[in-house]
Amino acid sequence: MEETIFQRTELLIGREKVERLGKRHVILFGVGGVGSWCAESLVRSGIRHLTIVDFDTVNITNINRQLVATMDTIGHAKVDVLRERLLSINPDAEIIAIQERFTEETAALFNLGSYDYIIDAIDSLKNKARLILMACQTKAILLSSMGAALKMNPNRIQVDEFWKVHGDPLARALRHYFKRQQEWPEKKFLCVFSDERLENEGEQNNGTHINGTVAHITAIFGFTLASLLVNDMQKDEP
C-alpha cells in the first residue's frame, strides 16, 4: 500500500530517498497551529516513525487554525486526535502520541538523543528555550518555529539560522533568555519566522495577553518546517 501512497513522491525524489525518509525517527513538540500541519505534511511525505508531544486538549478557539480542531474533537487530547488522523493517512506508520508538557523536569522522559530530527513548535518561552538547549546537545537536527501570531502576509515567511532571525519578538526573547541564563545553544539550527508584526485587537485571558492568529500562516509555518526536513533528506548520505 505504501508504494501506492508515495508513488508521486517517488516520481519526484526517487524511491531510495523515500525509503530513507521512512527510516528516520522524528519527534515533534507542540501540535497546535503550527505543529499539527507539520505532522500531516511529514506523514504524507513518507515519515513513518513520528512521536508527537503536546499536553493540551482541543478548545473551540483552536478551530480557526489547528488541523486537529473541529466541533467533534473539542475536549479530546490533541495528540490522540492527530495520531488517529495520521494513521488514517498511512496505517503502516508508527505514530507515538505523548500527552505531556516538555519542561526541564520532564525532559528526561523523551530521550532526545534517540531521534534523527527534533522539531520545536512550542509556545512557552522557558520550555522552548530548554528544548533548544537540550536538542543542540544531541546529534539530531533541530528545526524550530518562531512566532506565527500577528501575521497575515505569507510572503513575509522566511527561513534562517537562529542568530540571523530578525523582526521576530519570540526569537529576540529567546536570545535575551539565553543571555540571562548564560546558556547558549551548542550548534546552529534553522528557524521558520516572519518579520511581519501587525497590531492586535487584544484580549486578556487569566492575565495572559492573547494574540490573533490565522490558519494560512500557521499552516505555512508548519509546512515549511516539514519541507526543511524533507529537503535535508535530499542531501547525499556521507
Side-chain angles (χ1 to χ4, degrees):
M1 182 170 58
E2 284 193 342
E3 291 183 1
T4 304
I5 293 174
F6 302 117
Q7 180 183 16
R8 298 298 179 92
T9 310
E10 286 185 8
L11 289 173
L12 186 63
I13 67 175
R15 175 169 294 189
E16 178 185 352
K17 290 179 179 177
V18 171
E19 290 176 351
R20 282 170 55 189
L21 277 168
K23 294 176 182 178
R24 294 302 185 263
H25 287 73
V26 181
I27 187 166
L28 166 62
F29 291 91
V31 296
V34 172
S36 58
W37 300 101
C38 178
E40 170 115 351
S41 184
L42 289 174
V43 171
R44 289 187 185 275
S45 298
I47 290 295
R48 297 182 73 252
H49 304 286
L50 176 63
T51 299
I52 50 177
V53 182
D54 198 302
F55 71 96
D56 209 359
T57 56
V58 178
N59 186 283
I60 194 170
T61 62
N62 302 147
I63 289 176
N64 82 313
R65 69 197 183 282
Q66 298 188 14
L67 180 70
V68 296
T70 68
M71 295 300 292
D72 292 332
T73 62
I74 292 172
H76 294 262
K78 291 181 181 180
V79 290
D80 291 341
V81 175
L82 184 58
R83 180 178 184 273
E84 183 177 352
R85 177 177 174 87
L86 297 177
L87 289 175
S88 74
I89 295 168
N90 183 5
D92 294 328
E94 177 191 48
I95 310 296
I96 298 173
I98 302 177
Q99 190 180 10
E100 183 63 81
R101 188 194 298 268
F102 180 91
T103 67
E104 188 170 4
E105 292 72 29
T106 64
L109 298 174
F110 302 104
N111 193 18
L112 294 179
S114 66
Y115 293 93
D116 300 298
Y117 292 91
I118 299 170
I119 302 179
D120 157 43
I122 292 177
D123 294 328
S124 164
L125 176 65
K126 182 179 179 181
N127 296 336
K128 190 180 193 75
R130 183 53 49 191
L131 175 60
I132 288 171
L133 290 169
M134 295 187 69
C136 287
Q137 294 172 351
T138 73
K139 294 181 180 180
I141 293 174
L142 170 65
L143 303 169
S144 182
S145 172
M146 295 296 107
L150 302 178
K151 322 290 184 186
M152 286 289 289
N153 186 349
N155 294 321
R156 301 279 286 273
I157 298 173
Q158 307 167 57
V159 174
D160 214 332
E161 198 279 320
F162 172 69
W163 295 103
K164 296 180 180 179
V165 173
H166 58 275
D168 181 272
L170 181 53
R172 184 167 59 248
L174 282 167
R175 290 193 283 259
H176 289 163
Y177 181 89
F178 294 142
K179 184 176 181 179
R180 288 196 307 272
Q181 299 296 315
Q182 288 297 294
E183 293 183 276
W184 316 97
E186 294 184 7
K187 62 184 179 183
K188 294 180 178 180
F189 59 96
L190 291 177
C191 300
V192 180
F193 73 100
S194 168
D195 61 2
E196 181 183 23
R197 184 161 175 84
L198 301 175
E199 293 297 325
N200 197 48
E201 290 294 327
E203 179 180 331
Q204 295 291 327
N205 183 7
N206 296 323
T208 301
H209 188 76
I210 306 299
N211 289 321
T213 322
V214 291
H216 67 271
I217 295 295
T218 60
I220 294 172
F221 266 62
F223 289 147
T224 304
L225 282 173
S227 78
L228 293 175
L229 189 158
V230 173
N231 280 303
D232 183 73
M233 289 296 303
Q234 304 315 300
K235 300 175 182 176
D236 292 332
E237 286 190 310

